[in-house]
Amino acid sequence: MAEPNFAEHSWDYLERGSVLVVTLSGPANVRLMDPENFAAFEDGEKYAFHGGIARRAPYRLKVPHSGPWFLAIDLDGLPGRGVRHEVSIVPPQKLEERRA
């Protein structure tokens, strides 16, 4: 079996409004998907996602609805051989505290 050409992160539950903060060592595709779309992504089928090409770090993605989520980070269509990354989550409550 071939190695996947993407880094995967998954969460059983993320709350709507949470923000994923992705720190990258270079440009990469950052795709946030629900389980159904992630399965289609893995199978090479048509899928929908939130995110896009992250050219600057940190790259922030807001979780559109509560539930399970998958994050794929890859270099498909981009130059380079690898990218280091780190992902952290800022819950909605922390965002509200920052605004206060």
Side-chain angles (χ1 to χ4, degrees):
M1 181 175 226
E3 286 287 316
N5 56 359
F6 61 91
E8 171 191 339
H9 296 268
S10 63
W11 298 271
D12 291 333
Y13 182 84
L14 288 175
E15 188 175 348
R16 176 180 183 254
S18 295
V19 174
L20 300 181
V21 181
V22 184
T23 304
L24 302 158
S25 63
N29 298 303
V30 178
R31 298 177 173 110
L32 181 64
M33 297 167 271
D34 61 24
E36 294 79 19
N37 282 294
F38 184 71
F41 170 77
E42 285 188 303
D43 293 340
E45 298 172 0
K46 189 174 180 178
Y47 62 94
F49 67 93
H50 302 273
I53 298 175
R55 298 190 189 280
R56 294 186 210 169
Y59 186 78
R60 291 177 172 80
L61 276 167
K62 193 174 224 179
V63 176
H65 60 81
S66 298
W69 287 98
F70 290 84
L71 183 70
I73 299 171
D74 67 71
L75 298 177
D76 188 30
L78 298 171
R81 302 201 70 188
V83 64
R84 290 183 313 279
H85 66 278
E86 185 176 308
V87 180
S88 60
I89 302 166
V90 180
Q93 305 88 315
K94 292 286 185 189
L95 294 170
E96 290 302 319
E97 289 172 12
R98 289 182 182 176
R99 290 184 188 129

